[in-house]
Amino acid sequence: MRKVVDETERVRVRCDVLVKIIEKLDSNPELQDIFGIPVSKALVVVADGNDLRIEDGGSVDLTEEQSKRFLEILNEVIKASTH
């Protein structure tokens, strides 16, 4: 028997938007200094219930300052790419 999924429980991100976000992250000089080139090689997409996030994949041991700056840049890129 197939489970019927309520559409309100699903998170959707268009692939072209995801590509745009990844391109902006990859081209960011600050993130390149932190993660190397390409930046996206050090990142992962995590699905947690109805929450879809881009996170540090753990390949780089980030300082607290680097982690904070990564989140600031990530939030800026996502906002700019989804409006």
Side-chain angles (χ1 to χ4, degrees):
M1 185 170 178
R2 209 172 114 176
K3 179 181 175 187
V4 176
V5 177
D6 181 3
E7 289 293 320
T8 60
E9 294 179 13
R10 297 178 69 183
V11 174
R12 298 177 188 195
V13 179
R14 287 191 352 234
C15 290
D16 64 321
V17 173
L18 189 55
V19 167
K20 185 188 301 184
I21 291 169
I22 291 168
E23 287 173 346
K24 288 180 180 181
L25 295 173
D26 276 340
S27 65
N28 184 283
E30 281 185 80
L31 294 181
Q32 289 174 348
D33 287 343
I34 295 170
F35 294 109
I37 300 173
V39 172
S40 57
K41 189 173 182 178
L43 306 178
V44 295
V45 175
V46 177
D48 184 12
N50 290 337
D51 188 20
L52 188 63
R53 297 185 306 271
I54 296 174
E55 296 181 352
D56 161 40
S59 62
V60 175
D61 191 20
L62 300 178
T63 66
E64 189 173 326
E65 183 178 309
Q66 288 172 322
S67 182
K68 182 180 174 185
R69 187 61 186 139
F70 165 59
L71 291 176
E72 290 171 351
I73 294 169
L74 178 62
N75 285 329
E76 291 170 9
V77 167
I78 290 172
K79 283 181 186 178
S81 299
T82 57
H83 285 37

